[in-house]
PDB file of all heavy atoms in Angstrom:
ATOM      1  N   PHE B   4     -19.363 -46.076 -77.281  1.00  0.00           N
ATOM      2  CA  PHE B   4     -19.989 -45.074 -78.277  1.00  0.00           C
ATOM      3  C   PHE B   4     -20.813 -44.154 -77.565  1.00  0.00           C
ATOM      4  O   PHE B   4     -20.900 -42.937 -77.744  1.00  0.00           O
ATOM      5  CB  PHE B   4     -20.815 -45.875 -79.376  1.00  0.00           C
ATOM      6  CG  PHE B   4     -21.521 -45.103 -80.344  1.00  0.00           C
ATOM      7  CD1 PHE B   4     -20.911 -44.303 -81.351  1.00  0.00           C
ATOM      8  CD2 PHE B   4     -22.944 -44.950 -80.159  1.00  0.00           C
ATOM      9  CE1 PHE B   4     -21.714 -43.484 -82.186  1.00  0.00           C
ATOM     10  CE2 PHE B   4     -23.710 -44.174 -80.983  1.00  0.00           C
ATOM     11  CZ  PHE B   4     -23.083 -43.462 -82.049  1.00  0.00           C
ATOM     12  N   GLY B   5     -21.787 -44.744 -76.662  1.00  0.00           N
ATOM     13  CA  GLY B   5     -22.738 -43.933 -75.892  1.00  0.00           C
ATOM     14  C   GLY B   5     -21.977 -42.946 -74.967  1.00  0.00           C
ATOM     15  O   GLY B   5     -22.416 -41.762 -74.876  1.00  0.00           O
ATOM     16  N   ARG B   6     -21.111 -43.549 -74.306  1.00  0.00           N
ATOM     17  CA  ARG B   6     -20.311 -42.734 -73.344  1.00  0.00           C
ATOM     18  C   ARG B   6     -19.746 -41.557 -74.004  1.00  0.00           C
ATOM     19  O   ARG B   6     -19.644 -40.484 -73.641  1.00  0.00           O
ATOM     20  CB  ARG B   6     -19.359 -43.593 -72.644  1.00  0.00           C
ATOM     21  CG  ARG B   6     -19.616 -43.878 -71.169  1.00  0.00           C
ATOM     22  CD  ARG B   6     -18.368 -44.404 -70.449  1.00  0.00           C
ATOM     23  NE  ARG B   6     -17.605 -45.379 -71.160  1.00  0.00           N
ATOM     24  CZ  ARG B   6     -17.894 -46.723 -71.191  1.00  0.00           C
ATOM     25  NH1 ARG B   6     -18.935 -47.257 -70.623  1.00  0.00           N
ATOM     26  NH2 ARG B   6     -17.016 -47.458 -71.825  1.00  0.00           N
ATOM     27  N   GLU B   7     -18.950 -41.871 -75.148  1.00  0.00           N
ATOM     28  CA  GLU B   7     -18.337 -40.708 -75.905  1.00  0.00           C
ATOM     29  C   GLU B   7     -19.349 -39.698 -76.292  1.00  0.00           C
ATOM     30  O   GLU B   7     -19.078 -38.522 -76.309  1.00  0.00           O
ATOM     31  CB  GLU B   7     -17.537 -41.343 -77.110  1.00  0.00           C
ATOM     32  CG  GLU B   7     -16.249 -41.891 -76.513  1.00  0.00           C
ATOM     33  CD  GLU B   7     -15.488 -42.546 -77.794  1.00  0.00           C
ATOM     34  OE1 GLU B   7     -15.270 -41.812 -78.768  1.00  0.00           O
ATOM     35  OE2 GLU B   7     -15.020 -43.752 -77.683  1.00  0.00           O
ATOM     36  N   LEU B   8     -20.530 -40.122 -76.844  1.00  0.00           N
ATOM     37  CA  LEU B   8     -21.498 -39.164 -77.178  1.00  0.00           C
ATOM     38  C   LEU B   8     -21.936 -38.266 -76.057  1.00  0.00           C
ATOM     39  O   LEU B   8     -21.999 -37.056 -76.224  1.00  0.00           O
ATOM     40  CB  LEU B   8     -22.753 -39.859 -77.688  1.00  0.00           C
ATOM     41  CG  LEU B   8     -22.926 -40.309 -79.178  1.00  0.00           C
ATOM     42  CD1 LEU B   8     -24.361 -40.725 -79.490  1.00  0.00           C
ATOM     43  CD2 LEU B   8     -22.597 -39.086 -80.115  1.00  0.00           C
ATOM     44  N   VAL B   9     -22.060 -38.845 -74.949  1.00  0.00           N
ATOM     45  CA  VAL B   9     -22.525 -38.121 -73.702  1.00  0.00           C
ATOM     46  C   VAL B   9     -21.510 -36.994 -73.404  1.00  0.00           C
ATOM     47  O   VAL B   9     -21.649 -35.826 -73.115  1.00  0.00           O
ATOM     48  CB  VAL B   9     -22.842 -38.941 -72.457  1.00  0.00           C
ATOM     49  CG1 VAL B   9     -23.020 -38.108 -71.239  1.00  0.00           C
ATOM     50  CG2 VAL B   9     -24.112 -39.700 -72.782  1.00  0.00           C
ATOM     51  N   ASP B  10     -20.171 -37.535 -73.454  1.00  0.00           N
ATOM     52  CA  ASP B  10     -19.073 -36.702 -73.198  1.00  0.00           C
ATOM     53  C   ASP B  10     -18.925 -35.524 -74.177  1.00  0.00           C
ATOM     54  O   ASP B  10     -18.367 -34.441 -73.875  1.00  0.00           O
ATOM     55  CB  ASP B  10     -17.761 -37.435 -73.164  1.00  0.00           C
ATOM     56  CG  ASP B  10     -17.600 -38.410 -71.913  1.00  0.00           C
ATOM     57  OD1 ASP B  10     -18.413 -38.245 -71.085  1.00  0.00           O
ATOM     58  OD2 ASP B  10     -16.888 -39.235 -71.931  1.00  0.00           O
ATOM     59  N   LEU B  11     -19.351 -35.794 -75.327  1.00  0.00           N
ATOM     60  CA  LEU B  11     -19.351 -34.786 -76.362  1.00  0.00           C
ATOM     61  C   LEU B  11     -20.342 -33.641 -76.298  1.00  0.00           C
ATOM     62  O   LEU B  11     -20.311 -32.585 -76.955  1.00  0.00           O
ATOM     63  CB  LEU B  11     -19.554 -35.405 -77.823  1.00  0.00           C
ATOM     64  CG  LEU B  11     -18.204 -35.918 -78.549  1.00  0.00           C
ATOM     65  CD1 LEU B  11     -18.698 -36.684 -79.809  1.00  0.00           C
ATOM     66  CD2 LEU B  11     -17.450 -34.681 -78.952  1.00  0.00           C
ATOM     67  N   LEU B  12     -21.350 -33.883 -75.499  1.00  0.00           N
ATOM     68  CA  LEU B  12     -22.559 -32.881 -75.572  1.00  0.00           C
ATOM     69  C   LEU B  12     -22.181 -31.473 -75.258  1.00  0.00           C
ATOM     70  O   LEU B  12     -22.585 -30.556 -75.960  1.00  0.00           O
ATOM     71  CB  LEU B  12     -23.530 -33.424 -74.557  1.00  0.00           C
ATOM     72  CG  LEU B  12     -24.367 -34.723 -75.121  1.00  0.00           C
ATOM     73  CD1 LEU B  12     -25.419 -35.054 -73.865  1.00  0.00           C
ATOM     74  CD2 LEU B  12     -25.275 -34.304 -76.338  1.00  0.00           C
ATOM     75  N   PRO B  13     -21.286 -31.251 -74.289  1.00  0.00           N
ATOM     76  CA  PRO B  13     -20.922 -29.881 -74.139  1.00  0.00           C
ATOM     77  C   PRO B  13     -20.284 -29.105 -75.202  1.00  0.00           C
ATOM     78  O   PRO B  13     -20.597 -28.045 -75.587  1.00  0.00           O
ATOM     79  CB  PRO B  13     -19.966 -29.899 -72.888  1.00  0.00           C
ATOM     80  CG  PRO B  13     -20.358 -31.187 -72.186  1.00  0.00           C
ATOM     81  CD  PRO B  13     -20.748 -32.178 -73.173  1.00  0.00           C
ATOM     82  N   ARG B  14     -19.501 -29.910 -75.857  1.00  0.00           N
ATOM     83  CA  ARG B  14     -18.835 -29.272 -77.047  1.00  0.00           C
ATOM     84  C   ARG B  14     -19.827 -29.226 -78.167  1.00  0.00           C
ATOM     85  O   ARG B  14     -19.815 -28.317 -79.133  1.00  0.00           O
ATOM     86  CB  ARG B  14     -17.673 -30.145 -77.545  1.00  0.00           C
ATOM     87  CG  ARG B  14     -16.416 -30.020 -76.678  1.00  0.00           C
ATOM     88  CD  ARG B  14     -15.318 -31.009 -76.986  1.00  0.00           C
ATOM     89  NE  ARG B  14     -14.800 -30.803 -78.368  1.00  0.00           N
ATOM     90  CZ  ARG B  14     -14.359 -31.844 -79.173  1.00  0.00           C
ATOM     91  NH1 ARG B  14     -14.164 -33.058 -78.602  1.00  0.00           N
ATOM     92  NH2 ARG B  14     -13.869 -31.635 -80.420  1.00  0.00           N
ATOM     93  N   ALA B  15     -20.666 -30.164 -78.354  1.00  0.00           N
ATOM     94  CA  ALA B  15     -21.826 -30.087 -79.334  1.00  0.00           C
ATOM     95  C   ALA B  15     -22.631 -28.893 -79.090  1.00  0.00           C
ATOM     96  O   ALA B  15     -23.062 -28.264 -80.093  1.00  0.00           O
ATOM     97  CB  ALA B  15     -22.626 -31.450 -79.292  1.00  0.00           C
ATOM     98  N   ARG B  16     -22.939 -28.578 -77.871  1.00  0.00           N
ATOM     99  CA  ARG B  16     -23.854 -27.473 -77.561  1.00  0.00           C
ATOM    100  C   ARG B  16     -22.990 -26.097 -77.971  1.00  0.00           C
ATOM    101  O   ARG B  16     -23.727 -25.203 -78.501  1.00  0.00           O
ATOM    102  CB  ARG B  16     -24.112 -27.458 -76.177  1.00  0.00           C
ATOM    103  CG  ARG B  16     -25.141 -28.402 -75.689  1.00  0.00           C
ATOM    104  CD  ARG B  16     -25.759 -28.154 -74.322  1.00  0.00           C
ATOM    105  NE  ARG B  16     -27.063 -28.935 -74.220  1.00  0.00           N
ATOM    106  CZ  ARG B  16     -27.075 -30.171 -73.641  1.00  0.00           C
ATOM    107  NH1 ARG B  16     -25.963 -30.649 -73.038  1.00  0.00           N
ATOM    108  NH2 ARG B  16     -28.204 -30.823 -73.466  1.00  0.00           N
ATOM    109  N   ARG B  17     -21.798 -26.171 -77.813  1.00  0.00           N
ATOM    110  CA  ARG B  17     -21.052 -24.864 -78.065  1.00  0.00           C
ATOM    111  C   ARG B  17     -20.965 -24.769 -79.621  1.00  0.00           C
ATOM    112  O   ARG B  17     -21.220 -23.643 -80.194  1.00  0.00           O
ATOM    113  CB  ARG B  17     -19.569 -25.081 -77.546  1.00  0.00           C
ATOM    114  CG  ARG B  17     -18.625 -23.964 -78.109  1.00  0.00           C
ATOM    115  CD  ARG B  17     -17.434 -23.907 -77.508  1.00  0.00           C
ATOM    116  NE  ARG B  17     -16.543 -25.304 -77.697  1.00  0.00           N
ATOM    117  CZ  ARG B  17     -15.366 -25.547 -77.120  1.00  0.00           C
ATOM    118  NH1 ARG B  17     -14.829 -24.665 -76.324  1.00  0.00           N
ATOM    119  NH2 ARG B  17     -14.827 -26.665 -77.341  1.00  0.00           N
ATOM    120  N   PHE B  18     -20.782 -25.838 -80.334  1.00  0.00           N
ATOM    121  CA  PHE B  18     -20.756 -25.832 -81.785  1.00  0.00           C
ATOM    122  C   PHE B  18     -22.076 -25.299 -82.278  1.00  0.00           C
ATOM    123  O   PHE B  18     -22.255 -24.503 -83.194  1.00  0.00           O
ATOM    124  CB  PHE B  18     -20.272 -27.124 -82.355  1.00  0.00           C
ATOM    125  CG  PHE B  18     -20.295 -27.064 -83.896  1.00  0.00           C
ATOM    126  CD1 PHE B  18     -19.405 -26.100 -84.596  1.00  0.00           C
ATOM    127  CD2 PHE B  18     -20.979 -27.978 -84.713  1.00  0.00           C
ATOM    128  CE1 PHE B  18     -19.349 -26.198 -85.953  1.00  0.00           C
ATOM    129  CE2 PHE B  18     -20.926 -28.020 -86.013  1.00  0.00           C
ATOM    130  CZ  PHE B  18     -20.116 -27.144 -86.716  1.00  0.00           C
ATOM    131  N   ALA B  19     -23.155 -25.871 -81.686  1.00  0.00           N
ATOM    132  CA  ALA B  19     -24.525 -25.592 -82.182  1.00  0.00           C
ATOM    133  C   ALA B  19     -24.792 -24.093 -81.943  1.00  0.00           C
ATOM    134  O   ALA B  19     -25.490 -23.557 -82.725  1.00  0.00           O
ATOM    135  CB  ALA B  19     -25.503 -26.450 -81.408  1.00  0.00           C
ATOM    136  N   TRP B  20     -24.401 -23.667 -80.790  1.00  0.00           N
ATOM    137  CA  TRP B  20     -24.596 -22.092 -80.595  1.00  0.00           C
ATOM    138  C   TRP B  20     -23.923 -21.235 -81.609  1.00  0.00           C
ATOM    139  O   TRP B  20     -24.470 -20.303 -82.021  1.00  0.00           O
ATOM    140  CB  TRP B  20     -24.197 -21.721 -79.196  1.00  0.00           C
ATOM    141  CG  TRP B  20     -24.456 -20.277 -78.988  1.00  0.00           C
ATOM    142  CD1 TRP B  20     -25.564 -19.793 -78.527  1.00  0.00           C
ATOM    143  CD2 TRP B  20     -23.637 -19.160 -79.170  1.00  0.00           C
ATOM    144  NE1 TRP B  20     -25.605 -18.425 -78.611  1.00  0.00           N
ATOM    145  CE2 TRP B  20     -24.391 -18.028 -78.937  1.00  0.00           C
ATOM    146  CE3 TRP B  20     -22.373 -19.082 -79.644  1.00  0.00           C
ATOM    147  CZ2 TRP B  20     -23.868 -16.769 -79.098  1.00  0.00           C
ATOM    148  CZ3 TRP B  20     -21.801 -17.755 -79.865  1.00  0.00           C
ATOM    149  CH2 TRP B  20     -22.573 -16.551 -79.570  1.00  0.00           C
ATOM    150  N   VAL B  21     -22.673 -21.760 -81.954  1.00  0.00           N
ATOM    151  CA  VAL B  21     -21.949 -20.856 -83.037  1.00  0.00           C
ATOM    152  C   VAL B  21     -22.770 -21.005 -84.353  1.00  0.00           C
ATOM    153  O   VAL B  21     -22.960 -19.972 -84.975  1.00  0.00           O
ATOM    154  CB  VAL B  21     -20.465 -21.390 -83.189  1.00  0.00           C
ATOM    155  CG1 VAL B  21     -19.828 -20.719 -84.370  1.00  0.00           C
ATOM    156  CG2 VAL B  21     -19.705 -21.132 -81.872  1.00  0.00           C
ATOM    157  N   LEU B  22     -23.230 -22.066 -84.648  1.00  0.00           N
ATOM    158  CA  LEU B  22     -23.996 -22.200 -85.966  1.00  0.00           C
ATOM    159  C   LEU B  22     -25.274 -21.381 -85.747  1.00  0.00           C
ATOM    160  O   LEU B  22     -25.539 -20.682 -86.823  1.00  0.00           O
ATOM    161  CB  LEU B  22     -24.400 -23.698 -86.151  1.00  0.00           C
ATOM    162  CG  LEU B  22     -23.455 -24.693 -86.630  1.00  0.00           C
ATOM    163  CD1 LEU B  22     -24.110 -25.960 -86.857  1.00  0.00           C
ATOM    164  CD2 LEU B  22     -22.864 -24.118 -88.024  1.00  0.00           C
ATOM    165  N   THR B  23     -26.011 -21.465 -84.714  1.00  0.00           N
ATOM    166  CA  THR B  23     -27.422 -20.892 -84.724  1.00  0.00           C
ATOM    167  C   THR B  23     -27.486 -19.599 -84.059  1.00  0.00           C
ATOM    168  O   THR B  23     -28.485 -18.853 -84.284  1.00  0.00           O
ATOM    169  CB  THR B  23     -28.322 -21.951 -83.892  1.00  0.00           C
ATOM    170  OG1 THR B  23     -27.880 -21.942 -82.601  1.00  0.00           O
ATOM    171  CG2 THR B  23     -28.349 -23.283 -84.504  1.00  0.00           C
ATOM    172  N   ARG B  24     -26.593 -19.232 -83.125  1.00  0.00           N
ATOM    173  CA  ARG B  24     -26.591 -18.122 -82.362  1.00  0.00           C
ATOM    174  C   ARG B  24     -27.790 -17.968 -81.484  1.00  0.00           C
ATOM    175  O   ARG B  24     -28.191 -16.811 -81.110  1.00  0.00           O
ATOM    176  CB  ARG B  24     -26.471 -16.865 -83.283  1.00  0.00           C
ATOM    177  CG  ARG B  24     -25.051 -16.842 -83.990  1.00  0.00           C
ATOM    178  CD  ARG B  24     -25.008 -15.511 -84.765  1.00  0.00           C
ATOM    179  NE  ARG B  24     -25.919 -15.581 -85.884  1.00  0.00           N
ATOM    180  CZ  ARG B  24     -25.992 -14.664 -86.914  1.00  0.00           C
ATOM    181  NH1 ARG B  24     -25.236 -13.627 -86.884  1.00  0.00           N
ATOM    182  NH2 ARG B  24     -26.940 -14.748 -87.714  1.00  0.00           N
ATOM    183  N   SER B  25     -28.433 -19.022 -81.211  1.00  0.00           N
ATOM    184  CA  SER B  25     -29.676 -19.047 -80.378  1.00  0.00           C
ATOM    185  C   SER B  25     -29.615 -20.198 -79.431  1.00  0.00           C
ATOM    186  O   SER B  25     -29.323 -21.348 -79.856  1.00  0.00           O
ATOM    187  CB  SER B  25     -30.832 -19.053 -81.337  1.00  0.00           C
ATOM    188  OG  SER B  25     -31.959 -19.768 -80.637  1.00  0.00           O
ATOM    189  N   ARG B  26     -29.862 -19.982 -78.223  1.00  0.00           N
ATOM    190  CA  ARG B  26     -29.747 -21.069 -77.308  1.00  0.00           C
ATOM    191  C   ARG B  26     -30.835 -22.223 -77.574  1.00  0.00           C
ATOM    192  O   ARG B  26     -30.532 -23.325 -77.509  1.00  0.00           O
ATOM    193  CB  ARG B  26     -29.978 -20.492 -75.793  1.00  0.00           C
ATOM    194  CG  ARG B  26     -29.327 -21.182 -74.761  1.00  0.00           C
ATOM    195  CD  ARG B  26     -29.839 -20.698 -73.438  1.00  0.00           C
ATOM    196  NE  ARG B  26     -29.763 -19.368 -73.131  1.00  0.00           N
ATOM    197  CZ  ARG B  26     -30.364 -18.800 -72.046  1.00  0.00           C
ATOM    198  NH1 ARG B  26     -31.071 -19.495 -71.281  1.00  0.00           N
ATOM    199  NH2 ARG B  26     -30.306 -17.522 -71.883  1.00  0.00           N
ATOM    200  N   ALA B  27     -32.006 -21.588 -77.938  1.00  0.00           N
ATOM    201  CA  ALA B  27     -33.150 -22.572 -77.977  1.00  0.00           C
ATOM    202  C   ALA B  27     -32.807 -23.433 -79.354  1.00  0.00           C
ATOM    203  O   ALA B  27     -32.937 -24.651 -79.402  1.00  0.00           O
ATOM    204  CB  ALA B  27     -34.441 -21.966 -78.270  1.00  0.00           C
TER     205      ALA B  27
END
Side-chain angles (χ1 to χ4, degrees):
Chain B
F4 173 75
R6 253 195 318 276
E7 282 179 52
L8 266 189
V9 170
D10 291 345
L11 265 176
L12 287 175
R14 285 173 60 208
R16 286 192 165 97
R17 169 171 62 182
F18 180 57
W20 182 84
V21 173
L22 285 182
T23 65
R24 298 180 297 184
S25 147
R26 215 194 299 171

